[in-house]
């Protein structure tokens, strides 16, 4: 779908500052914006990216005053976050309207493409224009949405749901009842105290040699991709929120929760029930002990953390010894 800045201003009841004929054909986060893309700026934490963003169009609040020159054409609106929610809902509605179902009752369609010796269990569904690689096994009662790509030698166990447009690499194992590509938990606050859902039109990209545990959910991104790197191992009942990036060979034990837009480095270890707040960066080779709560960036590679809020393990043990002493007095 293509928008000009003028069209966006009309849809969102905003004003244009710059080239009203500037065009955008896709969405991106402000730190990744390129020519032909639309980005938005609402959180002051990301202001530095306003001046480096190369997107064609940038949604901003009406009262935003740039401190430096800005490359994109600005579309000024009352509330950029709310405007983005409205725009994503508009795009999502258009996509649903354009989709044509043939009403077949069979498990797959002539537009689906299967590699060599693919196994498809009974009562499983593979949507239009989906591609399944060689020797992949899709067990019973699995849903694979339209335009999804699954690589070769994968195993998809019963009850898995893979939303439309997801990308899954080779040698991936997804255990029973996992959900790949559900909407992230994104809602825009309204003046009357209610919340408006933000539509998610991105996807999930899973690398090669990944294993995902039973009951785990991985949310798709609002605009780009939630990314699971090569060799990542995720245990049962974990929650990976929208826009998260997990580096290669990181492992995660059961019941971990990763909030939105957090970037976890390579070769990290997260023990059971670790919780990580949103919009953080976790350095490579970080080890986080069970039930730890991470509320700040971890910038030094190789840190070992414990506690809530999480701290270096030696600091935690000293603090715990003092805490225990006080309790015994």
């Amino acid at each position: 779908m293509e928008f000009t800045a003028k069209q966006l201003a009309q849809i969102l009841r905003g004003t244009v500052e710059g080239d009203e004929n500037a065009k955008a054909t896709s969405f991106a986060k402000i730190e990744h914006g390129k020519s032909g893309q639309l980005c938005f700026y609402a959180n002051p934490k990301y202001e530095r990216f306003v001046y480096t963003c190369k997107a064609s169009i940038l949604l901003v609040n009406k009262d935003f005053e740039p401190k430096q020159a800005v490359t994109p054409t600005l579309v000024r609106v009352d509330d950029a976050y709310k405007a983005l929610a409205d725009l994503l809902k508009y795009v999502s509605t258009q996509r649903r309207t354009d989709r044509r179902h043939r009403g077949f009752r069979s498990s797959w369609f002539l537009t689906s493409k299967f590699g060599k010796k693919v196994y498809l269990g009974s009562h499983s569904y593979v949507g239009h224009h989906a591609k399944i690689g060689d020797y992949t096994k899709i067990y019973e009662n699995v849903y694979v949405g339209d335009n999804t790509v699954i690589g070769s030698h994968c195993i998809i166990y019963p009850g898995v749901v893979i939303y439309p447009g997801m990308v899954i690499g080779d040698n991936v194992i997804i255990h029973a009842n996992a959900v790949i590509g559900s909407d992230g938990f994104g809602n825009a606050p309204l003046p009357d105290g209610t919340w408006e859902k933000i539509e998610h039109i991105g996807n999930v990209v899973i690398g090669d040699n990944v294993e995902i545990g039973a009951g785990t959910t991985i949310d798709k991104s609002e605009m780009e991709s939630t990314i699971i790197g090569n060799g990542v191992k995720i245990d049962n009942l974990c929650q990976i929120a929208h826009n998260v990036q997990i580096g290669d060979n990181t492992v995660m034990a059961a019941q971990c929760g990763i909030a939105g837009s957090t970037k976890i480095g390579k070769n990290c270890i997260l023990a059971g029930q670790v919780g990580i707040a949103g919009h953080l960066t976790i350095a490579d080779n970080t080890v986080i002990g069970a039930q730890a709560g991470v509320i700040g960036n971890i910038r030094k590679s190789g840190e070992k953390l414990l506690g809530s809020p999480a701290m270096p393990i030696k600091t935690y043990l000293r603090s715990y010894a003092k805490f225990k002493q006080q309790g015994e007095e």
Side-chain angles (χ1 to χ4, degrees):
M1 188 169 290
E2 181 179 278
F3 298 98
T4 65
K6 182 178 180 180
Q7 290 170 330
L8 283 171
Q10 291 172 344
I11 293 170
L12 302 175
R13 299 179 183 178
T15 58
V16 178
E17 184 175 315
D19 180 10
E20 66 177 15
N21 295 315
K23 294 180 180 179
T25 58
S26 63
F27 297 86
K29 293 187 288 186
I30 190 169
E31 58 265 44
H32 300 155
K34 298 178 182 178
S35 178
Q37 293 184 316
L38 168 79
C39 298
F40 85 106
Y41 166 66
N43 187 339
K45 179 179 178 180
Y46 292 88
E47 182 176 353
R48 68 186 187 276
F49 295 114
V50 171
Y51 311 114
T52 60
C53 182
K54 303 300 181 183
S56 295
I57 302 173
L58 182 65
L59 288 179
V60 299
N61 292 335
K62 283 184 176 179
D63 59 0
F64 171 63
E65 295 293 338
K67 298 181 180 65
Q68 302 175 33
V70 178
T71 298
T73 290
L74 301 183
V75 174
R76 294 184 175 272
V77 292
D78 290 331
D79 184 336
Y81 197 56
K82 170 67 165 54
L84 177 70
D86 291 340
L87 183 59
L88 292 177
K89 181 179 291 185
Y90 175 82
V91 172
S92 182
T93 300
Q94 293 299 311
R95 286 184 176 182
R96 285 196 291 266
T97 302
D98 290 342
R99 190 177 295 132
R100 292 172 174 82
H101 294 292
R102 298 187 181 183
F104 291 168
R105 295 183 179 272
S106 54
S107 295
W108 55 277
F109 298 91
L110 294 177
T111 56
S112 305
K113 295 183 179 179
F114 292 88
K116 300 175 183 178
K117 296 186 178 180
V118 170
Y119 172 82
L120 182 64
S122 61
H123 304 294
S124 287
Y125 173 96
V126 177
H128 289 285
H129 306 291
K131 296 179 181 179
I132 313 297
D134 298 344
Y135 304 102
T136 284
K137 294 181 180 179
I138 299 175
Y139 284 89
E140 290 67 31
N141 299 306
V142 170
Y143 173 88
V144 178
D146 297 349
N147 301 301
T148 286
V149 177
I150 299 176
S152 60
H153 298 277
C154 294
I155 301 174
I156 314 296
Y157 283 104
V160 170
V161 174
I162 303 174
Y163 279 60
M166 305 301 112
V167 178
I168 297 171
D170 298 331
N171 302 303
V172 173
I173 300 171
I174 304 178
H175 289 278
N177 298 315
V179 178
I180 311 298
S182 51
D183 281 358
F185 189 62
N187 297 278
L190 302 181
D192 63 359
T194 61
W195 297 85
E196 180 170 352
K197 176 181 173 60
I198 296 176
E199 296 289 345
H200 287 60
I201 61 172
N203 70 346
V204 175
V205 176
I206 297 174
D208 299 335
N209 305 305
V210 171
E211 185 165 2
I212 297 168
T216 285
T217 57
I218 303 177
D219 295 340
K220 64 187 174 186
S221 173
E222 290 175 351
M223 295 174 287
E224 297 182 0
S225 300
T226 299
I227 298 174
I228 310 298
N230 297 325
V232 169
K233 310 298 181 185
I234 301 174
D235 199 359
N236 301 331
L237 299 173
C238 293
Q239 157 66 9
I240 312 298
H242 58 193
N243 306 324
V244 166
Q245 297 180 26
I246 299 179
D248 295 350
N249 303 313
T250 283
V251 297
M252 186 182 306
Q255 299 183 343
C256 286
I258 315 299
S261 299
T262 283
K263 298 179 181 179
I264 299 177
K266 299 177 181 179
N267 302 106
C268 294
I269 299 174
L270 280 61
Q273 297 186 331
V274 165
I276 300 181
H279 301 274
L280 300 183
T281 299
I282 309 299
D284 296 346
N285 304 299
T286 299
V287 178
I288 307 175
Q291 296 189 326
V294 181
I295 60 173
N297 294 316
I298 309 300
R299 295 185 173 88
K300 183 179 177 182
S301 178
E303 288 268 32
K304 295 182 179 180
L305 309 171
L306 193 60
S308 187
M311 62 189 76
I313 191 166
K314 290 182 179 179
T315 303
Y316 173 82
L317 292 175
R318 286 196 297 267
S319 301
Y320 177 73
K322 292 180 180 179
F323 174 77
K324 187 177 179 181
Q325 269 183 344
Q326 290 178 345
E328 292 172 350
E329 292 177 356

